[in-house]
């Protein structure tokens, strides 16, 4: 092994053991509070639901450890034995050495690797989620989802990859700027096109039916000056009992999608509060900020990639010929070992946005009350971990914990 390969192995193992440690820290913390519902949650969750949420959290942690171990061993086995390089070169010899050929070779190798983790996704849905009553998916739906995912990754990923690989050769030493521009355009295009062409492949979207709820939400949108192309109902219950709301599209074409499970779980006042929270994200310009942030990180990513591509030792450390497609593959597999350490920073920003959107909602509704009861219900229905360890949530949670959000909402209410 080259010194560089040893450093990379060290980084992969460091992240792996750190995550194990975080998991055990979190599980211990949860277990310590497992015997009775903590004082602060007595109003929120009954004993039985609380115990079930503890069991769910611990079961997910055990499963997560198992699947992390598997994927780390697999990654190390492929990288440090040179097997990955051999497989990639065999496939590339067959697909040809043009930009298209290399793009298809990359797609095949990534597909092979994700196939190896397929049993874990299956188990998660049909054993783990099913055991806690969350799974609504059938085998047919699940396998159809996988097939659609593969087809989409081919239809979108291969042309994009081949364009990027072609740019490396065609645009000289500043190729990374061109590559970045291409990805930026692609991302913007996808945020407009995905809601129209991709999301409907997986879910049915229908306009929220006329009635009291619709009137109330339309009225809220008008009051807050939120221009939109419609509030949609999505059949999330097709796959899972978990509930959510999100928006799609850009500018005036934006739509809000409410999971049918959400509409079932919350009453009208609570749904209005959830929508107000989502509108808050828009009004406070969280979306362009998030997009800008992703453009910056993509730019840095391509810049680092271009530097690594110029160093023959980078690819050689893992047995690869110094071809750019191999560098792309290695970079894609290894970047996470470094960017993982930045996740507390991005989670911090994301949590700040959540507080801001909550404050906006309580202002728009005139009270934090409905949002608080909505959050309580959602935490209960989704069996959320009410007592995450602060370190664990720092690395894994983009949303503040329930009590923190409630405290902030009550504070806003008193001071507003
Ligand atoms: Zn939010």
């Amino acid at each position: 092994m080259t010194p560089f390969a040893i450093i990379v192995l060290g980084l992969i193992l460091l992240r792996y053991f750190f995550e194990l440690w975080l998991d055990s820290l979190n599980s211990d913390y949860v277990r310590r509070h497992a015997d009775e519902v903590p004082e602060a949650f007595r109003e929120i969750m009954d004993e039985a639901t609380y115990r079930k949420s503890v069991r769910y959290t611990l079961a997910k942690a055990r499963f997560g450890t198992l699947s992390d171990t598997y994927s780390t061993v697999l990654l190390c086995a492929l990288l440090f034995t040179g097997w990955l390089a051999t497989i990639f070169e065999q496939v590339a010899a067959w697909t040809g050495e043009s930009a298209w050929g290399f793009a298809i070779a990359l797609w095949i190798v990534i597909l092979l690797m994700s196939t190896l983790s397929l049993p874990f996704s299956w188990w998660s849905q049909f054993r783990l989620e099913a055991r806690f009553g969350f799974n609504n998916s059938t085998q047919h739906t699940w396998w159809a989802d996988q097939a659609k995912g593969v087809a989409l990754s081919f239809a979108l990923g291969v042309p994009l990859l081949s364009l990027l690989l072609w740019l490396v050769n065609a645009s000289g030493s500043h190729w990374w700027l061109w590559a970045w521009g291409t990805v930026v355009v692609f991302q913007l295009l996808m945020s407009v096109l995905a809601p129209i062409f991709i999301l409907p492949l997986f879910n049915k979207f229908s306009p929220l039916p006329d009635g009291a709820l619709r009137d109330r939400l339309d009225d809220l949108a008008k009051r807050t000056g939120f221009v939109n192309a419609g509030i949609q109902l999505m059949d999330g219950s097709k796959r899972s009992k978990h509930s959510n709301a999100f928006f799609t599209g850009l500018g005036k074409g934006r739509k809000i999608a409410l999971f049918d499970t959400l509409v079932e779980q919350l009453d009208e006042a609570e749904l209005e509060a959830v929508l107000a929270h989502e509108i808050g994200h828009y009004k406070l310009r969280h979306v362009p900020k998030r997009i800008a942030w992703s453009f910056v990180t993509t730019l840095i990513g391509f810049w680092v990639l271009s530097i690594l591509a110029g160093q023959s030792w980078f690819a050689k450390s893992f047995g690869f010929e110094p071809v750019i497609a191999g560098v792309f593959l290695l970079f894609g597999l290894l970047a996470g070992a470094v960017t993982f350490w930045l996740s507390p920073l991005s989670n911090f920003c994301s949590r700040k946005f959540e507080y801001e959107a909550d404050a906006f909602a309580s202002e728009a509704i005139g009270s934090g009350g409905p949002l608080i009861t909505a959050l309580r219900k959602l935490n209960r229905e989704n069996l959320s971990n009410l007592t995450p360890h602060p370190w664990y949530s720092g690395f894994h949670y983009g949303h503040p914990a329930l009590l923190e959000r409630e405290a902030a909402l009550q504070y806003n209410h008193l001071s507003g």
Side-chain angles (χ1 to χ4, degrees), residues 277 281 354 399:
H277 170 97
H281 280 310
E354 293 308 316
H399 285 65

Side-chain angles (χ1 to χ4, degrees), residues 245 247 274 277-278 281 286 290 350 353-355 357-358 398-400 405:
F247 30 43
V274 168
H277 170 97
E278 297 298 327
H281 280 310
H286 292 162
R290 228 170 248 160
S350 154
F353 288 171
E354 293 308 316
Y355 283 125
D358 281 354
H399 285 65
R405 286 178 85 170

Side-chain angles (χ1 to χ4, degrees), residues 373-390:
T373 59
L375 291 171
R376 287 179 171 192
K377 275 191 191 168
L378 293 177
N379 273 266
R380 201 161 54 218
E381 294 292 338
N382 290 305
L383 294 177
S384 305
N385 176 12
L386 293 182
T387 55
H389 189 280

Side-chain angles (χ1 to χ4, degrees), residues 391-408:
W391 281 64
Y392 184 86
S393 60
F395 273 88
H396 290 290
Y397 284 20
H399 285 65
L402 178 62
L403 278 193
E404 297 169 325
R405 286 178 85 170
E406 284 197 10

Side-chain angles (χ1 to χ4, degrees), residues 68-114:
D68 274 358
T69 305
Y70 172 78
S71 53
T72 305
V73 169
L74 188 72
L75 179 65
C76 290
L78 286 171
L79 272 178
F80 299 107
T81 55
W83 293 345
L84 186 67
T86 310
I87 295 169
F88 177 70
E89 269 145 34
Q90 296 285 328
V91 176
W94 176 65
T95 55
E97 307 225 323
S98 62
W100 276 105
F102 273 127
I104 293 171
L106 278 177
W107 178 79
I108 292 174
V109 171
I110 294 165
L111 183 67
L112 283 175
M113 291 185 72
S114 53

